Amino acid sequence: MRSRPAIAATLALGGCSGAQTPLAPVADQAGSQYHLLLLMLWVCGVMYLLVIGFLIIGLWRARGRHAAAPPPLLEPADDRLRRLLAVWAAVVVIGLLVLAGGSFLVERSLALAQANESLRIRVTAHQYWWRIAYRDPASGRWVETANELHLPVARTARIELGSADVIHSFWVPNISGKMDVIPGRANAIDLTPRRLGWFRGQCAEFCGPQHAHMGFDVKVETSAAFDAWLAAQARPAAAPRDAEQARGMEVVTREQCAMCHTVRGTAAIGRNGPDLTHIGSRHSIAAGTLTMTRAHLQGWIAQPQAIKPGTMMPTVTLSPADANAAAAYLESLK
Ligand code: CUA
């Protein structure tokens, strides 16, 4: 698990702890896959260099012979050549055995990861966002959020994956390989992060025009911070603290917004879109497309189709004052 400052500086995304890349693993799963990749690169690289080397030697030794009849591939009496070929066959077989053994050990370690049963997280893929549900240890109820996965460091979480529509793929490159998310099929993936920070996840299966904007944020935090976060997420939405936020709450709970969105503790109980109860606490909006700011919320509410053409969020006709009030209210929902 080394840092690669040069790559990180080139690829780093806003707010993330380095680059979104499997070459900088921060979890057991990504680490073992990264080491398997290195093993394969070394074995295949050495094989490649040997083959190219033999080819160059053969061409060198055959120089000037092109006019003559080609010699037979194997002279019957050439014992030295026979021995060399036997050694080469052994090298190839050993290389293949090393690859097969390494692959088997990594697959086995991934299959044996024992998830802590208390840390089951349900992730449901939608065109083009992620519904994320945690079991609240206090009440036993499922608590929903969206597009932001929180994981306690050094514990194994089991992510139970489902799809609400088409095939997607769940991928956090720094933490693990991909797992398909298929309608009607329950898939799961275990994640054991080892480093604190923000990491970025991504849908990795083409699922429609906004596939590229189906990202999510992953926050790896201490156990205490995770417990505090989950307890805060389990609470109902905060009450408006000023007149503008109160007007925004009216807009969100009375207008079309409430047909698709839930704000727990209010009249908004829609289920089609992301739960907004604590949207103000999140790192980004529109599935990792925009950072969380008042201005971005206003723009997203006013012109979702301009920001993510083809998103399922319709353009709702609101006056500028209502759109601003709605943004103020949503931003206050920490
Ligand atoms: Cu969901 Cu691509």
Side-chain angles (χ1 to χ4, degrees):
M1 326 251 173
R2 297 150 222 177
S3 68
R4 282 167 180 68
I7 302 174
T10 319
L11 301 178
L13 292 151
C16 283
S17 311
Q20 178 187 3
T21 168
L23 302 182
V26 299
D28 291 359
Q29 291 78 13
S32 57
Q33 288 158 346
Y34 174 66
H35 290 120
L36 181 61
L37 171 72
L38 288 186
L39 177 73
M40 289 186 161
L41 275 178
W42 272 108
V43 171
C44 297
V46 168
M47 288 288 178
Y48 178 78
L49 291 179
L50 284 175
V51 168
I52 295 297
F54 291 148
L55 179 66
I56 290 171
I57 291 170
L59 288 172
W60 178 257
R61 288 174 54 171
R63 71 194 187 284
R65 270 202 245 160
H66 56 278
L73 277 177
L74 194 57
E75 300 282 354
D78 195 343
D79 281 344
R80 187 168 152 269
L81 193 54
R82 282 180 193 284
R83 280 199 300 277
L84 278 175
L85 279 174
V87 169
W88 175 241
V91 167
V92 170
V93 169
I94 289 169
L96 288 174
L97 285 176
V98 168
L99 289 184
S103 183
F104 170 77
L105 290 176
V106 168
E107 291 285 344
R108 189 166 166 273
S109 75
L110 293 177
L112 289 182
Q114 290 295 316
N116 186 329
E117 270 304 298
S118 69
L119 195 53
R120 284 165 53 215
I121 305 169
R122 286 184 185 160
V123 173
T124 309
H126 294 251
Q127 286 172 313
Y128 304 99
W129 61 282
W130 304 87
R131 186 190 299 278
I132 299 175
Y134 289 80
R135 174 90 77 175
D136 173 22
S139 68
R141 283 202 298 266
W142 288 90
V143 173
E144 274 195 15
T145 179
N147 305 321
E148 191 167 299
L149 187 65
H150 283 239
L151 300 172
V153 72
R155 274 174 69 189
T156 300
R158 170 149 292 188
I159 314 294
E160 299 174 340
L161 294 160
S163 169
D165 36 51
V166 300
I167 299 178
H168 305 263
S169 178
F170 176 92
W171 192 28
V172 192
N174 301 73
I175 292 182
S176 184
K178 300 168 185 174
M179 179 58 76
D180 280 342
V181 187
I182 300 169
R185 185 190 158 99
N187 274 354
I189 188 168
D190 291 341
L191 307 178
T192 316
R194 297 288 173 186
R195 194 194 301 166
L196 301 176
W198 284 97
F199 305 95
R200 192 183 151 90
Q202 174 70 46
C203 179
E205 176 87 29
F206 181 74
C207 54
Q210 283 302 323
H211 154 72
H213 286 144
M214 188 169 164
F216 56 102
D217 301 300
V218 179
K219 186 176 193 193
V220 179
E221 54 198 352
T222 62
S223 245
F226 173 79
D227 292 343
W229 171 82
L230 184 51
Q233 295 290 311
R235 285 196 277 274
R241 282 183 293 277
D242 60 32
E244 190 182 34
Q245 290 176 13
R247 179 172 178 180
M249 181 175 165
E250 273 296 302
V251 172
V252 169
T253 57
R254 300 271 176 265
E255 296 286 340
Q256 273 167 276
C257 316
M259 293 168 67
C260 291
H261 295 287
T262 289
V263 182
R264 276 175 272 132
T266 74
I269 52 169
R271 293 280 303 154
N272 292 336
D275 186 300
L276 302 180
T277 308
H278 298 287
I279 184 176
S281 73
R282 292 182 204 150
H283 191 62
S284 66
I285 55 174
T289 307
L290 301 169
T291 50
M292 168 59 70
T293 66
R294 169 90 68 96
H296 284 160
L297 276 169
Q298 284 171 359
W300 177 240
I301 292 166
Q303 292 288 339
Q305 296 296 329
I307 292 167
K308 276 175 80 164
T311 174
M312 302 301 164
M313 174 147 153
T315 303
V316 177
T317 311
L318 294 176
S319 70
D322 280 351
N324 292 350
Y329 172 61
L330 293 176
E331 192 194 25
S332 78
L333 297 180
K334 301 290 187 193

